[in-house]
Amino acid sequence: MRNSTIAGVGHYVPERVVKNADLVTMMDTSDQWIRERTGIEERRWVDAGDTHTSMGLKATKMALERANMEAKDIQLIIMCSVLSDHIVPGSGCFLQAELELPGVPAIDIRNGCSGFLYGMSIADKFIKTGVYENALIVGAEMLSTSLDLTTEGRGTAVIFADGAGAAILKAEENPEKGVLTTHIHADGRHAKRLWVEEPSPAHSPRISEELLNREGIWPYMDGKFVFKNALVRFPEVINTALEATGYSKEDIDLLVPHQANLRITEAVSKRLGMPMEKIISNIQKYGNTTAATIPIGLSEAWEEDRLNDGALVCLASFGAGFTWASALVRF
Ligand code: COA
């Protein structure tokens, strides 16, 4: 049976480091609160000139190099990001232009923190069914420029950050190796628990001076509700992947979860009885970069030689939508 394998991963984070102490100068918060409630110590925020496309391109170049491939080899592009460089079209087309791949399809996915795994699931199906030989999946996020950096916005401003990660999936004629299973879910009943309402085309004109005073232009998150749901959905969707493949949690060599909050990762570790040493956790230095956290985590794991031949790696996410997803990959 034809499978798809992760041939290369890469990442890029902006050079600008924003420490908790920097946020204290903007809003009523503290280094202690942020560390204790989220685990975050610092994060990267974009500098002038960075875009979803530019960060995604840098991550892609690293992934291509590690996969021993050239840009011209890419057959499908899937760009996953909450926002886009422009309202229309999605950043996938801009990335495709930078890669000089006219004619190659570019899909944009806006499924929040689960975006990358939605993209991977779609790419995997295209490869398994023989439509494409490979696919590039990019998670790129530029959230810092949309945050309310006053005390009113502190519930989200201290969490979200910028960065990009990329993975290249390639056809593999070995059913034992590669993406063994993927699972994607959503529950739109909770869409408004984590959302940005404005600017919405429901208003005419969509942009007005009055809009600038509406609370809806800033991200809204019902933190506690999101937290509780994440605690249920992470273990649930990981178990779904294990049941689908017949593996047990003890078989997992490495878990790369979406980086939402260190307390969520620790609770998942406890619920699954999986030691933190087997779980990627880099929220301390990058914050929550939504769709980019999983490919950034994978790329760092690659650098640390944790994706060795034969390693069974589980990927899992939960985020806006609500959406949640998992994948099990044999390297
Ligand atoms: N600094 C200082 N105090 C803050 C703060 C900040 N940055 N943000 C909120 N607070 C305050 C609140 O105003 C509240 O004060 P009050 O008790 O006087 O009203 C208090 O801290 C507790 O706020 P609460 O929202 O209940 O805190 P929490 O323990 O739930 O932690 C989150 C907040 C956001 C860290 C937590 O809910 C969370 O991580 N949720 C999930 C986030 C997530 O996963 N999001 C992305 C989806 S992928």
Short mmCIF file of all heavy atoms in Angstrom, two decimals, residues 132-182:
data_model
loop_
_atom_site.label_atom_id
_atom_site.label_comp_id
_atom_site.label_asym_id
_atom_site.label_seq_id
_atom_site.Cartn_x
_atom_site.Cartn_y
_atom_site.Cartn_z
N TYR A 132 -0.89 13.03 -6.13
CA TYR A 132 0.39 13.74 -6.09
C TYR A 132 1.47 12.86 -5.46
O TYR A 132 1.16 11.99 -4.64
CB TYR A 132 0.27 15.05 -5.28
CG TYR A 132 -0.73 16.02 -5.87
CD1 TYR A 132 -1.87 16.37 -5.16
CD2 TYR A 132 -0.53 16.57 -7.13
CE1 TYR A 132 -2.79 17.25 -5.71
CE2 TYR A 132 -1.45 17.44 -7.68
CZ TYR A 132 -2.58 17.78 -6.97
OH TYR A 132 -3.50 18.64 -7.51
N GLU A 133 2.70 13.15 -5.82
CA GLU A 133 3.85 12.42 -5.25
C GLU A 133 4.31 13.06 -3.95
O GLU A 133 4.98 12.42 -3.14
CB GLU A 133 5.02 12.41 -6.25
CG GLU A 133 4.80 11.55 -7.48
CD GLU A 133 4.54 10.10 -7.12
OE1 GLU A 133 5.32 9.51 -6.35
OE2 GLU A 133 3.52 9.56 -7.59
N ASN A 134 4.03 14.35 -3.80
CA ASN A 134 4.45 15.03 -2.57
C ASN A 134 3.58 16.27 -2.32
O ASN A 134 2.81 16.68 -3.19
CB ASN A 134 5.93 15.43 -2.66
CG ASN A 134 6.17 16.44 -3.76
OD1 ASN A 134 5.56 17.50 -3.79
ND2 ASN A 134 7.05 16.11 -4.71
N ALA A 135 3.72 16.82 -1.13
CA ALA A 135 2.98 18.03 -0.77
C ALA A 135 3.76 18.81 0.27
O ALA A 135 4.43 18.23 1.12
CB ALA A 135 1.60 17.67 -0.22
N LEU A 136 3.65 20.13 0.17
CA LEU A 136 4.26 21.03 1.16
C LEU A 136 3.14 21.55 2.06
O LEU A 136 2.14 22.07 1.57
CB LEU A 136 4.94 22.21 0.45
CG LEU A 136 5.30 23.41 1.32
CD1 LEU A 136 6.43 23.07 2.27
CD2 LEU A 136 5.68 24.61 0.44
N ILE A 137 3.31 21.38 3.36
CA ILE A 137 2.32 21.91 4.30
C ILE A 137 3.03 22.93 5.18
O ILE A 137 4.04 22.62 5.81
CB ILE A 137 1.72 20.81 5.20
CG1 ILE A 137 1.25 19.65 4.34
CG2 ILE A 137 0.56 21.33 6.03
CD1 ILE A 137 1.64 18.32 4.90
N VAL A 138 2.47 24.14 5.21
CA VAL A 138 3.10 25.22 5.98
C VAL A 138 2.12 25.74 7.02
O VAL A 138 0.94 25.94 6.73
CB VAL A 138 3.50 26.39 5.03
CG1 VAL A 138 4.05 27.57 5.83
CG2 VAL A 138 4.53 25.92 4.02
N GLY A 139 2.59 25.93 8.24
CA GLY A 139 1.82 26.64 9.27
C GLY A 139 2.57 27.94 9.52
O GLY A 139 3.73 27.91 9.93
N ALA A 140 1.94 29.07 9.22
CA ALA A 140 2.62 30.37 9.40
C ALA A 140 1.67 31.34 10.08
O ALA A 140 0.52 31.48 9.65
CB ALA A 140 3.08 30.91 8.05
N GLU A 141 2.13 31.96 11.14
CA GLU A 141 1.22 32.83 11.89
C GLU A 141 1.85 34.16 12.26
O GLU A 141 3.01 34.23 12.66
CB GLU A 141 0.78 32.13 13.19
CG GLU A 141 0.05 30.82 12.98
CD GLU A 141 -1.39 30.96 12.46
OE1 GLU A 141 -1.79 32.08 12.07
OE2 GLU A 141 -2.09 29.94 12.45
N MET A 142 1.04 35.20 12.12
CA MET A 142 1.44 36.56 12.46
C MET A 142 0.33 37.12 13.32
O MET A 142 -0.58 37.77 12.82
CB MET A 142 1.50 37.35 11.16
CG MET A 142 2.81 37.98 10.87
SD MET A 142 2.74 38.71 9.26
CE MET A 142 2.82 40.41 9.71
N LEU A 143 0.36 36.79 14.59
CA LEU A 143 -0.77 37.16 15.46
C LEU A 143 -0.50 38.43 16.25
O LEU A 143 -1.42 39.12 16.67
CB LEU A 143 -1.06 36.00 16.41
CG LEU A 143 -1.43 34.71 15.67
CD1 LEU A 143 -1.10 33.49 16.50
CD2 LEU A 143 -2.89 34.72 15.28
N SER A 144 0.79 38.76 16.46
CA SER A 144 1.13 39.84 17.37
C SER A 144 0.56 41.18 16.93
O SER A 144 0.21 42.02 17.77
CB SER A 144 2.65 39.96 17.50
OG SER A 144 3.23 40.30 16.26
N THR A 145 0.40 41.38 15.63
CA THR A 145 -0.07 42.68 15.15
C THR A 145 -1.59 42.83 15.32
O THR A 145 -2.13 43.90 15.05
CB THR A 145 0.31 42.88 13.66
OG1 THR A 145 -0.13 41.73 12.94
CG2 THR A 145 1.81 43.03 13.48
N SER A 146 -2.26 41.76 15.74
CA SER A 146 -3.72 41.83 15.92
C SER A 146 -4.12 41.73 17.38
O SER A 146 -5.27 41.43 17.69
CB SER A 146 -4.39 40.69 15.14
OG SER A 146 -4.12 40.82 13.77
N LEU A 147 -3.17 41.92 18.29
CA LEU A 147 -3.48 41.78 19.72
C LEU A 147 -3.76 43.14 20.35
O LEU A 147 -3.15 44.15 19.97
CB LEU A 147 -2.30 41.12 20.43
CG LEU A 147 -1.95 39.69 19.98
CD1 LEU A 147 -0.65 39.24 20.63
CD2 LEU A 147 -3.09 38.72 20.30
N ASP A 148 -4.65 43.14 21.32
CA ASP A 148 -4.91 44.34 22.12
C ASP A 148 -3.84 44.40 23.20
O ASP A 148 -3.88 43.64 24.17
CB ASP A 148 -6.31 44.24 22.73
CG ASP A 148 -6.63 45.41 23.66
OD1 ASP A 148 -5.78 46.32 23.78
OD2 ASP A 148 -7.72 45.41 24.26
N LEU A 149 -2.87 45.29 23.04
CA LEU A 149 -1.73 45.34 23.95
C LEU A 149 -1.98 46.25 25.16
O LEU A 149 -1.06 46.85 25.69
CB LEU A 149 -0.47 45.77 23.19
CG LEU A 149 -0.08 44.86 22.03
CD1 LEU A 149 1.18 45.37 21.33
CD2 LEU A 149 0.13 43.43 22.50
N THR A 150 -3.26 46.33 25.57
CA THR A 150 -3.58 47.06 26.80
C THR A 150 -4.05 46.02 27.82
O THR A 150 -4.21 44.84 27.50
CB THR A 150 -4.71 48.08 26.58
OG1 THR A 150 -5.95 47.36 26.36
CG2 THR A 150 -4.44 48.97 25.37
N THR A 151 -4.33 46.48 29.04
CA THR A 151 -4.76 45.55 30.09
C THR A 151 -6.03 44.80 29.69
O THR A 151 -6.19 43.62 30.03
CB THR A 151 -4.95 46.33 31.42
OG1 THR A 151 -3.68 46.88 31.77
CG2 THR A 151 -5.43 45.43 32.54
N GLU A 152 -6.91 45.43 28.92
CA GLU A 152 -8.15 44.74 28.49
C GLU A 152 -7.83 43.49 27.67
O GLU A 152 -8.57 42.52 27.69
CB GLU A 152 -9.03 45.68 27.63
CG GLU A 152 -9.87 46.67 28.41
CD GLU A 152 -9.02 47.78 29.03
OE1 GLU A 152 -8.18 48.34 28.31
OE2 GLU A 152 -9.17 48.04 30.24
N GLY A 153 -6.71 43.53 26.95
CA GLY A 153 -6.40 42.42 26.06
C GLY A 153 -5.42 41.42 26.64
O GLY A 153 -4.96 40.50 25.95
N ARG A 154 -5.10 41.56 27.93
CA ARG A 154 -4.00 40.75 28.48
C ARG A 154 -4.28 39.24 28.48
O ARG A 154 -3.34 38.44 28.48
CB ARG A 154 -3.68 41.21 29.91
CG ARG A 154 -4.80 40.99 30.91
CD ARG A 154 -4.46 41.56 32.27
NE ARG A 154 -5.56 41.33 33.21
CZ ARG A 154 -5.52 41.63 34.49
NH1 ARG A 154 -4.44 42.22 34.99
NH2 ARG A 154 -6.54 41.38 35.27
N GLY A 155 -5.57 38.87 28.46
CA GLY A 155 -5.90 37.44 28.47
C GLY A 155 -5.41 36.71 27.23
O GLY A 155 -5.16 35.51 27.25
N THR A 156 -5.26 37.44 26.12
CA THR A 156 -4.76 36.81 24.88
C THR A 156 -3.38 37.37 24.49
O THR A 156 -2.57 36.65 23.92
CB THR A 156 -5.73 37.05 23.69
OG1 THR A 156 -6.04 38.44 23.62
CG2 THR A 156 -6.99 36.23 23.83
N ALA A 157 -3.13 38.63 24.83
CA ALA A 157 -1.88 39.27 24.37
C ALA A 157 -0.63 38.58 24.87
O ALA A 157 0.40 38.57 24.20
CB ALA A 157 -1.87 40.75 24.79
N VAL A 158 -0.71 37.99 26.07
CA VAL A 158 0.50 37.37 26.63
C VAL A 158 0.74 35.97 26.05
O VAL A 158 1.80 35.38 26.25
CB VAL A 158 0.44 37.30 28.18
CG1 VAL A 158 0.23 38.67 28.78
CG2 VAL A 158 -0.65 36.34 28.66
N ILE A 159 -0.25 35.44 25.34
CA ILE A 159 -0.18 34.04 24.88
C ILE A 159 0.28 33.91 23.43
O ILE A 159 1.15 33.11 23.10
CB ILE A 159 -1.57 33.38 25.04
CG1 ILE A 159 -1.91 33.24 26.53
CG2 ILE A 159 -1.62 32.02 24.34
CD1 ILE A 159 -3.30 32.71 26.79
N PHE A 160 -0.35 34.72 22.54
CA PHE A 160 -0.17 34.46 21.11
C PHE A 160 1.10 35.10 20.54
O PHE A 160 1.55 36.16 20.99
CB PHE A 160 -1.40 34.91 20.33
CG PHE A 160 -2.60 34.06 20.64
CD1 PHE A 160 -3.65 34.56 21.39
CD2 PHE A 160 -2.64 32.73 20.23
CE1 PHE A 160 -4.75 33.75 21.69
CE2 PHE A 160 -3.74 31.92 20.53
CZ PHE A 160 -4.79 32.44 21.27
N ALA A 161 1.68 34.44 19.54
CA ALA A 161 2.98 34.88 19.01
C ALA A 161 3.12 34.46 17.55
O ALA A 161 2.21 33.88 16.96
CB ALA A 161 4.08 34.28 19.86
N ASP A 162 4.28 34.76 16.99
CA ASP A 162 4.50 34.60 15.55
C ASP A 162 5.57 33.55 15.23
O ASP A 162 6.49 33.34 16.02
CB ASP A 162 4.95 35.94 14.96
CG ASP A 162 4.02 37.09 15.34
OD1 ASP A 162 2.82 36.82 15.54
OD2 ASP A 162 4.49 38.23 15.45
N GLY A 163 5.46 32.98 14.04
CA GLY A 163 6.47 32.00 13.60
C GLY A 163 5.90 31.14 12.48
O GLY A 163 4.72 31.25 12.13
N ALA A 164 6.75 30.28 11.95
CA ALA A 164 6.31 29.40 10.85
C ALA A 164 7.03 28.06 10.91
O ALA A 164 8.18 27.98 11.36
CB ALA A 164 6.58 30.07 9.50
N GLY A 165 6.33 27.04 10.46
CA GLY A 165 6.94 25.72 10.34
C GLY A 165 6.45 25.08 9.04
O GLY A 165 5.39 25.44 8.53
N ALA A 166 7.23 24.16 8.51
CA ALA A 166 6.85 23.52 7.24
C ALA A 166 7.22 22.05 7.26
O ALA A 166 8.19 21.66 7.92
CB ALA A 166 7.56 24.22 6.08
N ALA A 167 6.43 21.26 6.55
CA ALA A 167 6.75 19.83 6.41
C ALA A 167 6.50 19.40 4.98
O ALA A 167 5.59 19.93 4.31
CB ALA A 167 5.89 19.00 7.35
N ILE A 168 7.33 18.48 4.51
CA ILE A 168 7.12 17.94 3.16
C ILE A 168 6.73 16.48 3.28
O ILE A 168 7.45 15.68 3.90
CB ILE A 168 8.36 18.13 2.30
CG1 ILE A 168 8.52 19.62 2.02
CG2 ILE A 168 8.24 17.36 0.98
CD1 ILE A 168 9.84 20.03 1.50
N LEU A 169 5.56 16.17 2.74
CA LEU A 169 5.09 14.78 2.71
C LEU A 169 5.42 14.20 1.35
O LEU A 169 5.23 14.87 0.32
CB LEU A 169 3.57 14.76 2.94
CG LEU A 169 3.07 14.15 4.24
CD1 LEU A 169 3.67 14.89 5.42
CD2 LEU A 169 1.56 14.19 4.33
N LYS A 170 5.88 12.96 1.35
CA LYS A 170 6.32 12.35 0.10
C LYS A 170 5.76 10.92 0.02
O LYS A 170 5.65 10.24 1.05
CB LYS A 170 7.85 12.26 0.15
CG LYS A 170 8.54 12.53 -1.17
CD LYS A 170 10.03 12.61 -0.89
CE LYS A 170 10.81 12.31 -2.14
NZ LYS A 170 12.24 12.34 -1.88
N ALA A 171 5.47 10.45 -1.19
CA ALA A 171 4.94 9.08 -1.35
C ALA A 171 5.99 8.06 -0.91
O ALA A 171 7.19 8.25 -1.11
CB ALA A 171 4.57 8.84 -2.81
N GLU A 172 5.50 7.00 -0.28
CA GLU A 172 6.39 5.96 0.25
C GLU A 172 5.69 4.62 0.04
O GLU A 172 4.55 4.45 0.45
CB GLU A 172 6.61 6.23 1.75
CG GLU A 172 7.20 5.11 2.55
CD GLU A 172 8.72 5.08 2.48
OE1 GLU A 172 9.33 6.15 2.54
OE2 GLU A 172 9.26 3.96 2.35
N GLU A 173 6.39 3.70 -0.62
CA GLU A 173 5.75 2.40 -0.91
C GLU A 173 5.98 1.44 0.25
O GLU A 173 6.46 0.33 0.06
CB GLU A 173 6.31 1.81 -2.21
CG GLU A 173 6.10 2.66 -3.45
CD GLU A 173 4.62 2.90 -3.79
OE1 GLU A 173 3.76 2.06 -3.45
OE2 GLU A 173 4.33 3.96 -4.38
N ASN A 174 5.70 1.86 1.45
CA ASN A 174 5.91 1.01 2.61
C ASN A 174 4.81 1.28 3.63
O ASN A 174 4.80 2.33 4.27
CB ASN A 174 7.30 1.31 3.21
CG ASN A 174 7.60 0.46 4.42
OD1 ASN A 174 6.73 -0.26 4.93
ND2 ASN A 174 8.83 0.54 4.90
N PRO A 175 3.86 0.36 3.78
CA PRO A 175 2.72 0.61 4.67
C PRO A 175 3.11 0.74 6.14
O PRO A 175 2.34 1.27 6.94
CB PRO A 175 1.84 -0.62 4.45
CG PRO A 175 2.72 -1.68 3.90
CD PRO A 175 3.82 -0.98 3.16
N GLU A 176 4.31 0.29 6.49
CA GLU A 176 4.74 0.34 7.90
C GLU A 176 5.28 1.73 8.26
O GLU A 176 5.46 2.04 9.42
CB GLU A 176 5.86 -0.68 8.15
CG GLU A 176 5.54 -2.11 7.77
CD GLU A 176 4.42 -2.68 8.63
OE1 GLU A 176 4.41 -2.37 9.83
OE2 GLU A 176 3.55 -3.39 8.09
N LYS A 177 5.60 2.50 7.24
CA LYS A 177 6.30 3.76 7.46
C LYS A 177 5.47 4.95 6.98
O LYS A 177 4.75 4.84 6.00
CB LYS A 177 7.63 3.71 6.67
CG LYS A 177 8.75 4.39 7.37
CD LYS A 177 10.05 4.20 6.65
CE LYS A 177 10.99 5.26 7.17
NZ LYS A 177 12.28 5.20 6.62
N GLY A 178 5.60 6.09 7.64
CA GLY A 178 4.92 7.30 7.20
C GLY A 178 3.69 7.60 8.03
O GLY A 178 3.58 7.18 9.19
N VAL A 179 2.75 8.34 7.42
CA VAL A 179 1.53 8.74 8.14
C VAL A 179 0.62 7.52 8.25
O VAL A 179 0.08 7.05 7.25
CB VAL A 179 0.82 9.90 7.40
CG1 VAL A 179 -0.45 10.31 8.13
CG2 VAL A 179 1.76 11.10 7.24
N LEU A 180 0.46 7.01 9.47
CA LEU A 180 -0.33 5.78 9.65
C LEU A 180 -1.81 6.09 9.76
O LEU A 180 -2.65 5.30 9.34
CB LEU A 180 0.14 5.05 10.92
CG LEU A 180 1.65 4.74 10.98
CD1 LEU A 180 1.98 4.05 12.31
CD2 LEU A 180 2.07 3.87 9.81
N THR A 181 -2.14 7.25 10.33
CA THR A 181 -3.55 7.62 10.47
C THR A 181 -3.67 9.11 10.79
O THR A 181 -2.75 9.69 11.38
CB THR A 181 -4.21 6.77 11.59
OG1 THR A 181 -5.62 6.93 11.55
CG2 THR A 181 -3.72 7.15 12.98
N THR A 182 -4.77 9.72 10.38
CA THR A 182 -5.04 11.12 10.76
C THR A 182 -6.52 11.23 11.15
O THR A 182 -7.37 10.51 10.60
CB THR A 182 -4.78 12.13 9.62
OG1 THR A 182 -5.62 11.79 8.51
CG2 THR A 182 -3.34 12.15 9.18
#
